[in-house]
Amino acid sequence: MKIIGHRGAAGLAPENTLAGIEAAIKAGVDAVEFDIRKTADNVLVLCHDKSLLRTHGVDIDITESTYDDIKLIISPAGNKVPTLEQALKLTGEVPVLIEGKGEGWASALAKFLIDRPNKELITVISFHHQELFIFGQKCPGIKLYACENYNAMDALNSARLFGFEGIDVNFWVMNPLVYWLCKRHALETTVYTLDWPWVAQIFHWLYPSLAITTNFPNKLQFLRKKQRRKPQ
């Protein structure tokens, strides 16, 4: 079972920041997940929302602003908005899940990643399955996961329709049938955002090959230790 840090490690440090990514790596994650949006001048930055109001206290729309404007903004906690380039430099050899937010990011992300080495460390995920498909056509060789919040079968069907490698769904909607069908069709399975160790323990028992995205990767390390323990 793999443990993935959500938005870096949002329970340990501010989400989608370099500090959050550092916290995730320090916690021993198998991979780091974060969100990207495209600025008006086609720079990819880490941000979940359309605006920086919630995270940085400034009501500025990412897609309508240039990076020169955004890079000057500092959150109350002292964090700037990182670029994708800065995030990948920090993760190094640690695998990443890049979630494309909104629309229109596919071409910019493909251009950024097309000649990048170690593409096997990168997975691109999105709720916008058509946009994800467009990205895959422009930048082959990177794993793609269909995200879904309400119906895991929709993610599975999209993955099969578009030829994606996996799904990433809300843990509340994961069920044994979907897990079995994913295994049957060789689709990788990931759930988000699971923060309770006792629930994670149940998922570990029900779905051994599942990957869990969590805000608190430090609290779920016991699952990996159990998996590594050799029988006497």
Side-chain angles (χ1 to χ4, degrees):
M1 175 170 282
K2 294 182 179 180
I3 306 300
I4 302 168
H6 182 238
R7 302 182 193 173
L12 306 178
E15 67 181 62
N16 287 316
T17 62
L18 297 182
I21 293 173
E22 288 179 338
I25 295 172
K26 185 177 180 180
V29 295
D30 295 291
V32 181
E33 182 266 356
F34 46 76
D35 308 296
I36 60 160
R37 287 187 181 272
K38 181 174 68 74
T39 67
D41 52 346
N42 293 318
V43 178
L44 297 167
V45 297
L46 272 59
C47 187
H48 177 274
D49 302 349
K50 292 181 179 180
S51 166
L52 292 175
L53 181 60
R54 178 177 63 86
T55 56
H56 289 72
V58 180
D59 192 8
I60 180 172
D61 190 297
I62 296 290
T63 58
E64 296 179 0
S65 306
T66 66
Y67 178 63
D68 283 342
D69 294 329
I70 293 172
K71 71 180 182 181
L72 300 176
I73 298 173
I74 301 176
S75 73
N79 295 287
K80 293 185 176 182
V81 179
T83 64
L84 178 58
E85 178 67 46
Q86 291 169 335
L88 292 181
K89 183 177 180 179
L90 184 57
T91 56
E93 297 298 313
V94 177
V96 297
L97 278 73
I98 302 172
E99 181 177 343
K101 285 292 186 183
E103 299 176 353
W105 51 265
S107 294
L109 183 59
K111 183 177 180 180
F112 180 84
L113 294 177
I114 189 67
D115 295 322
R116 195 170 190 91
N118 301 323
K119 285 192 282 193
E120 70 278 2
L121 298 175
I122 300 171
T123 300
V124 176
I125 67 177
S126 184
F127 288 90
H128 296 270
H129 302 166
Q130 184 66 42
E131 187 80 7
L132 189 62
F133 175 74
I134 293 171
F135 166 80
Q137 294 297 297
K138 293 176 178 290
C139 188
I142 291 180
K143 288 183 179 180
L144 309 175
Y145 290 0
C147 294
E148 175 57 43
N149 196 33
Y150 302 108
N151 189 334
M153 284 298 296
D154 287 347
L156 189 154
N157 290 333
S158 285
R160 294 190 63 200
L161 174 66
F162 290 117
F164 299 156
E165 284 74 23
I167 67 172
D168 188 356
V169 301
N170 191 319
F171 80 94
W172 288 109
V173 301
M174 175 54 68
N175 61 72
L177 175 59
V178 170
Y179 181 75
W180 178 79
L181 287 172
C182 283
K183 290 184 72 67
R184 180 180 180 182
H185 296 292
L187 293 173
E188 298 175 4
T189 51
T190 301
V191 296
Y192 66 88
T193 307
L194 208 171
D195 293 336
W196 298 283
W198 67 273
V199 178
Q201 176 68 77
I202 295 173
F203 270 63
H204 179 60
W205 178 70
L206 288 173
Y207 316 115
S209 64
L210 192 73
I212 293 178
T213 304
T214 177
N215 291 313
F216 298 95
N218 56 316
K219 294 183 179 181
L220 302 189
Q221 291 301 313
F222 73 97
L223 296 175
R224 298 172 69 213
K225 292 176 182 177
K226 284 186 176 182
Q227 185 174 330
R228 293 171 180 168
R229 187 176 298 153
K230 297 181 179 180
Q232 300 296 323

